[in-house]
């Protein structure tokens, strides 16, 4: 998996199939469920196998995206926990800019992780 960048507290990197269990826990979190399907364009993900397929699809899509756009995992440098995800995705209109999408596990809310990742 490719490392995109490091901040003071985060590693921003590509997703890998090994992330399926942690990603399922993140995207399946009850608090995030009302936003995740619309924002991340995710189907109902009942188990690790389906999550692995989603992560594989994202890896293929990543190869076709313009430099600087994509979907990445946010991993805490202190302990290595998957804390969330951030995406820079092209808008549907070609001349438009990109949109920023993010999900952060509720246990990590209020710590400035998304701001830190977005600034980086």
């Amino acid at each position: 998996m490719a490392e995109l960048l490091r901040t003071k507290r985060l590693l921003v990197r590509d997703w890998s199939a090994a992330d399926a269990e942690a990603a399922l826990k993140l995207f399946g979190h009850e608090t995030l469920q009302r936003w995740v399907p619309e924002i991340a364009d995710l189907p109902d993900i009942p188990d690790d196998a389906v999550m692995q397929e989603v992560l594989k699809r994202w890896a293929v899509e990543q190869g076709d995206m313009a430099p600087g756009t994509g979907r990445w995992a946010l991993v805490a440098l202190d302990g290595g926990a998957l804390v969330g995800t951030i995406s820079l995705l092209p808008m549907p209109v070609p001349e438009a800019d990109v949109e920023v999408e993010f999900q952060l596990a509720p246990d990590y809310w209020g710590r400035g992780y998304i701001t830190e990742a977005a600034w980086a």
Side-chain angles (χ1 to χ4, degrees), residues 4 62 65-72 87-89 98:
L4 179 65
Q62 186 79 14
M65 290 184 166
T69 60
R71 294 181 178 90
W72 302 284
S87 304
L88 296 173
L89 301 174
V98 297

Side-chain angles (χ1 to χ4, degrees), residues 2-74:
E3 180 179 318
L4 179 65
L5 57 92
R6 286 178 184 253
T7 69
K8 182 178 176 183
R9 301 176 297 160
L10 295 171
L11 169 63
V12 182
R13 64 162 172 78
D14 288 337
W15 288 98
S16 79
D19 293 321
E21 183 179 344
L24 182 61
K25 186 175 178 183
L26 172 70
F27 292 115
H29 194 284
E30 179 182 331
T31 305
L32 301 181
Q33 274 301 298
R34 69 176 137 173
W35 296 290
V36 168
E38 321 172 337
I39 293 175
D41 191 27
L42 290 174
D44 183 32
I45 302 175
D47 56 36
D48 285 356
V50 175
M51 189 74 242
Q52 283 183 354
E53 290 304 314
V54 169
L55 295 177
K56 286 177 188 175
R57 177 175 54 98
W58 286 354
V60 170
E61 290 173 359
Q62 186 79 14
D64 294 333
M65 290 184 166
T69 60
R71 294 181 178 90
W72 302 284
L74 299 177

Side-chain angles (χ1 to χ4, degrees), residues 5-13 26 72-87 100-120:
L5 57 92
R6 286 178 184 253
T7 69
K8 182 178 176 183
R9 301 176 297 160
L10 295 171
L11 169 63
V12 182
R13 64 162 172 78
L26 172 70
W72 302 284
L74 299 177
V75 178
L77 289 176
D78 180 18
L82 175 72
V83 299
T85 180
I86 191 164
S87 304
V100 178
E101 296 179 354
F102 63 87
Q103 289 80 37
L104 190 67
D107 290 348
Y108 299 96
W109 289 2
R111 299 183 191 184
Y113 284 129
I114 296 301
T115 302
E116 186 174 322
W119 274 106

